[in-house]
Amino acid sequence: MSPSASERISPTAHATGYFWYRQGLSHPALATAEGRRIDRIVRPMLLGTRVLGGFSLTALMLARHRGIDRVLGDAIEQGRVGQVIEIAAGLSPRGWDLKRRFGQRLRYIETDLPQMVALKQSLLDGGGLLSPGHSVVTLDALADEGPQSLAALATTLDPNVGTAIVTEGLMNYLDPQTAEGVWRRIAATLAQFPQGIYLNDLYLRPRRINPAAEAFGGLLQVFVRGRMHVHFRSEEEVAAVMKRCGFAEVVLHQPSTLEETRRYARIRGGDSVLILEARR
């Protein structure tokens, strides 16, 4: 992959990829030099939000990632899911990790925009991390139709196998109208399978804004050259919007209720994320 193409990838993708590696959740092949460079810049900011405001972005990130892994892993173990589409997978280790755990029981499709797909494919190939049933493909989550749409991708899956779609870290980059469009496409796609599960990290607008977290959020918006959105005020609003988008059942998992995330829920920041499980 050419340097110019790599530069067009969002710096947050490199940064989060290196973060998962630094936390012991990823493979060295998925940790880029660009990610290491950005991590050196971001780590003091993370420390500052913890020291000055008592808010841990590290706990938040770990709670969201490991929480989604737990809920998804349970669905696979129970036989409810045998196919997964991860939208905007970036440099997440989830596909590699779950294929390592479940092998041929699971088909895992990582999706992203073309430059990231090229980079992820090269890193997985270079590290020998791809196995049968694990692929990386280009997807435009905003497209209703066409060869790179979610609808087109769904036609390549087994219609008799339960399917999950994951959007970790994506939805807060989208304004409410665009987000609802994505949720409608996901619900319509999952309706084609005997069981359909959608997983996402979700946040409610706080009654009080943590100054340190707000300051970091402002810096992050400058960093990604865009606005971040928190879509919901209450759990009731989450359920209403998800059902309006086509989901039949909505479950919000608290980090304190999952063994893998309970320790993060004791830390301010780790308690601010919910794991959304919407069933079709």
Side-chain angles (χ1 to χ4, degrees), residues 202-224:
L202 187 142
Y203 312 86
L204 302 178
R205 294 176 197 163
R207 294 178 182 175
R208 294 182 181 179
I209 302 295
N210 181 282
E214 185 177 28
F216 182 81
L219 287 171
L220 182 60
Q221 291 183 110
V222 172
F223 192 58
V224 302

Side-chain angles (χ1 to χ4, degrees), residues 77-138:
E77 286 277 10
Q78 295 160 10
R80 294 184 290 125
V81 165
Q83 302 174 134
V84 178
I85 299 171
E86 184 166 4
I87 299 177
L91 295 176
S92 168
R94 180 172 288 117
W96 160 72
D97 184 49
L98 289 179
K99 282 294 293 181
R100 185 174 55 163
R101 288 172 57 189
F102 295 106
Q104 294 183 357
R105 292 172 55 186
L106 178 67
R107 181 178 179 188
Y108 203 98
I109 303 172
E110 304 192 47
T111 75
D112 216 303
L113 298 177
Q115 290 82 10
M116 175 53 73
V117 167
L119 175 61
K120 187 71 170 285
Q121 182 78 47
S122 69
L123 295 178
L124 290 169
D125 283 339
L129 305 184
L130 279 177
S131 59
H134 182 191
S135 57
V136 188
V137 303
T138 298

Side-chain angles (χ1 to χ4, degrees), residues 41 102 115 186 197 272:
I41 298 171
F102 295 106
Q115 290 82 10
I186 290 173
I197 298 173
S272 69

Side-chain angles (χ1 to χ4, degrees), residues 237-271:
E237 186 180 5
V238 176
V241 171
M242 289 297 114
K243 290 180 179 179
R244 184 169 74 227
C245 289
F247 293 98
E249 184 180 0
V250 176
V251 179
L252 292 174
H253 299 274
Q254 301 277 351
S256 59
T257 65
L258 302 174
E259 181 180 352
E260 287 79 1
T261 57
R262 196 167 291 133
R263 65 181 180 271
Y264 307 124
R266 302 189 188 104
I267 304 170
R268 192 174 185 185
D271 61 353

Side-chain angles (χ1 to χ4, degrees), residues 19 30 60 69 73 76 108 117 126 145 159 163 172 174 209 219:
F19 175 84
L30 297 177
L60 183 154
D69 278 357
I76 298 168
Y108 203 98
V117 167
E145 56 187 15
T163 300
N172 294 104
L174 307 179
I209 302 295
L219 287 171

Side-chain angles (χ1 to χ4, degrees), residues 7-259:
E7 289 167 3
R8 289 195 293 270
I9 295 171
S10 168
T12 57
H14 288 283
T16 53
Y18 195 84
F19 175 84
W20 302 134
Y21 167 69
R22 181 161 56 81
Q23 294 296 329
L25 299 178
S26 189
H27 190 279
L30 297 177
T32 65
E34 177 73 0
R36 182 171 60 251
R37 183 185 70 80
I38 298 170
D39 186 71
R40 289 172 180 164
I41 298 171
V42 172
R43 285 177 74 176
M45 300 179 192
L46 295 177
L47 179 61
T49 60
R50 183 70 189 274
V51 172
L52 299 176
F55 189 96
S56 173
L57 271 297
T58 296
L60 183 154
M61 293 277 288
L62 290 171
R64 90 180 196 195
H65 190 80
R66 300 199 68 183
I68 290 174
D69 278 357
R70 167 60 192 272
V71 178
L72 180 56
D74 284 351
I76 298 168
E77 286 277 10
Q78 295 160 10
R80 294 184 290 125
V81 165
Q83 302 174 134
V84 178
I85 299 171
E86 184 166 4
I87 299 177
L91 295 176
S92 168
R94 180 172 288 117
W96 160 72
D97 184 49
L98 289 179
K99 282 294 293 181
R100 185 174 55 163
R101 288 172 57 189
F102 295 106
Q104 294 183 357
R105 292 172 55 186
L106 178 67
R107 181 178 179 188
Y108 203 98
I109 303 172
E110 304 192 47
T111 75
D112 216 303
L113 298 177
Q115 290 82 10
M116 175 53 73
V117 167
L119 175 61
K120 187 71 170 285
Q121 182 78 47
S122 69
L123 295 178
L124 290 169
D125 283 339
L129 305 184
L130 279 177
S131 59
H134 182 191
S135 57
V136 188
V137 303
T138 298
L139 178 79
D140 180 359
L142 306 186
D144 288 317
E145 56 187 15
Q148 295 182 356
S149 67
L150 185 58
L153 178 58
T155 65
T156 69
L157 301 184
D158 187 334
N160 300 310
V161 175
T163 300
I165 295 178
V166 179
T167 58
E168 180 184 4
L170 170 65
M171 301 309 294
N172 294 104
Y173 289 99
L174 307 179
D175 64 75
Q177 182 177 358
T178 303
E180 285 203 30
V182 173
W183 287 323
R184 290 180 188 277
R185 292 181 199 99
I186 290 173
T189 297
L190 292 175
Q192 304 172 47
F193 301 95
Q195 294 200 57
I197 298 173
Y198 168 59
L199 297 172
N200 181 49
D201 54 302
L202 187 142
Y203 312 86
L204 302 178
R205 294 176 197 163
R207 294 178 182 175
R208 294 182 181 179
I209 302 295
N210 181 282
E214 185 177 28
F216 182 81
L219 287 171
L220 182 60
Q221 291 183 110
V222 172
F223 192 58
V224 302
R225 302 184 183 94
R227 183 182 172 190
M228 304 292 286
H229 301 267
V230 179
H231 298 105
F232 305 106
R233 295 183 178 86
S234 67
E235 295 186 13
E236 293 75 17
E237 186 180 5
V238 176
V241 171
M242 289 297 114
K243 290 180 179 179
R244 184 169 74 227
C245 289
F247 293 98
E249 184 180 0
V250 176
V251 179
L252 292 174
H253 299 274
Q254 301 277 351
S256 59
T257 65
L258 302 174
E259 181 180 352

